[in-house]
Amino acid sequence: MDSIALMRVELYKLKKKKTVKILFLISIIPSFFYAMAMKFNWSFVSVTVDGFSIINYITSIYTIIFILGIPMFILFFISTNLIANEIYEGQMMLAITRVANRERILSGKFLAITYLLFIFFITNIIASIVAFYLFIYDTKYFIPFTFNMDTLNKVVNLFGVQIFLLLLCYIVMLCSTRFNLVISIVCGLLFLTITSFANYIPYVKYISPGYLALSDLDIGSNYYIVFIQICINLMLFIFIVRKGWKNFRQIEF
């Protein structure tokens, strides 16, 4: 079996897990909750901006979901469960018996979590669009969409959050090749904490993974930072996958 076929096997197993269903349910709630709050003027929800365009609303909601932490924690749990839990329960030995190439098994798991996050991303965008036009479109908070530099900044931030989430999940999966579920999740949270602090340090923040997700960026005068971030994240993804392969080959079942 190749890595794509193994990815489909992992996705089939994920589809049956309650945690995945809970993840998608929790992820779409903020889109409708905040839109309904603006529509019906709920007093217990504070709206601190004059209004939203469709792009601003999508980006704001996805950032809220990231900051909220619960979906991210569930993603960490799902990511580490793909490796650490299967090793503990002995399921990994059965997989290795069927597929001699361990790198393919691990690559299939990395691809599965990448695909899951992509669907998570698309689902959130669709939920935000539906909520926006159902509840915000005919209110005072509606702002017509215009493509300008601020819009471009929001789009870069949106993709920055998505890439950083994926990177965090990859780090948790890498740790799962060495440690148990709890320690792997703690490692992911520790990396998030370190990068969050790094974003307050001048110049260092530009090379810190997650800068595009954790900071406001003016693309017009700092376009080179986007290129730096792409290179750094790409190198980190390659390092994590290769290190994961190495760790996985050394595991004795």
Side-chain angles (χ1 to χ4, degrees):
M1 296 177 72
D2 59 16
S3 297
I4 301 298
L6 289 166
M7 177 194 74
R8 293 188 181 123
V9 172
E10 296 296 334
L11 289 172
Y12 176 76
K13 290 190 289 186
L14 287 172
K15 187 171 65 174
K16 297 191 294 183
K17 292 183 179 294
K18 290 182 179 179
T19 49
V20 174
K21 297 174 183 177
I22 293 170
L23 170 68
F24 280 88
L25 178 62
I26 292 176
S27 67
I28 64 174
I29 289 175
S31 299
F32 289 93
F33 179 81
Y34 284 99
M36 291 173 68
M38 285 181 271
K39 173 72 173 181
F40 302 113
N41 295 313
W42 291 345
S43 58
F44 58 89
V45 177
S46 175
V47 180
T48 58
V49 295
D50 294 331
F52 292 96
S53 68
I54 182 63
I55 294 296
N56 287 345
Y57 188 70
I58 291 171
T59 307
S60 298
I61 291 298
Y62 203 64
T63 303
I64 288 171
I65 290 170
F66 174 70
I67 295 172
L68 189 62
I70 297 175
M72 181 173 61
F73 185 83
I74 296 174
L75 281 167
F76 283 4
F77 178 81
I78 293 170
S79 299
T80 190
N81 198 56
L82 283 175
I83 300 174
N85 199 48
E86 289 195 4
I87 293 173
Y88 177 76
E89 293 179 352
Q91 297 177 29
M92 195 68 72
M93 187 182 295
L94 297 174
I96 291 173
T97 303
R98 290 179 300 176
V99 184
N101 192 319
R102 293 191 179 193
E103 285 84 354
R104 288 183 184 176
I105 295 173
L106 194 59
S107 296
K109 294 179 182 296
F110 278 125
L111 288 173
I113 206 66
T114 302
Y115 186 85
L116 179 68
L117 260 169
F118 173 74
I119 299 300
F120 176 78
F121 181 64
I122 297 300
T123 301
N124 274 277
I125 290 177
I126 293 173
S128 294
I129 292 172
V130 171
F132 182 84
Y133 284 105
L134 274 179
F135 299 109
I136 301 177
Y137 182 74
D138 59 349
T139 69
K140 63 180 181 180
Y141 297 106
F142 171 75
I143 297 177
F145 170 76
T146 55
F147 187 82
N148 51 34
M149 192 55 66
D150 181 62
T151 302
L152 184 59
N153 291 336
K154 293 291 185 183
V155 171
V156 171
N157 178 248
L158 179 66
F159 281 96
V161 172
Q162 174 69 3
I163 292 169
F164 191 49
L165 265 176
L166 182 61
L167 179 64
L168 289 170
C169 289
Y170 269 47
I171 288 170
V172 168
M173 292 179 73
L174 173 62
C175 294
S176 299
T177 61
R178 287 291 189 186
F179 309 112
N180 61 29
L181 185 147
V182 175
I183 295 176
S184 300
I185 292 176
V186 169
C187 288
L189 294 173
L190 183 62
F191 185 83
L192 172 61
T193 303
I194 292 170
T195 51
S196 297
F197 278 115
N199 274 277
Y200 291 101
I201 304 174
Y203 301 108
V204 173
K205 63 183 181 181
Y206 299 139
I207 59 173
S208 172
Y211 174 73
L212 298 180
L214 301 171
S215 303
D216 291 327
L217 179 66
D218 181 6
I219 300 297
S221 58
N222 298 292
Y223 60 90
Y224 63 91
I225 296 176
V226 178
F227 177 74
I228 292 172
Q229 283 290 310
I230 290 172
C231 293
I232 289 172
N233 281 280
L234 183 60
M235 287 189 293
L236 280 172
F237 278 117
I238 294 171
F239 169 78
I240 289 168
V241 172
R242 293 181 67 86
K243 181 64 175 174
W245 287 346
K246 182 179 178 181
N247 291 351
F248 206 54
R249 285 195 298 265
Q250 295 172 349
I251 296 175
E252 294 183 4
F253 297 98

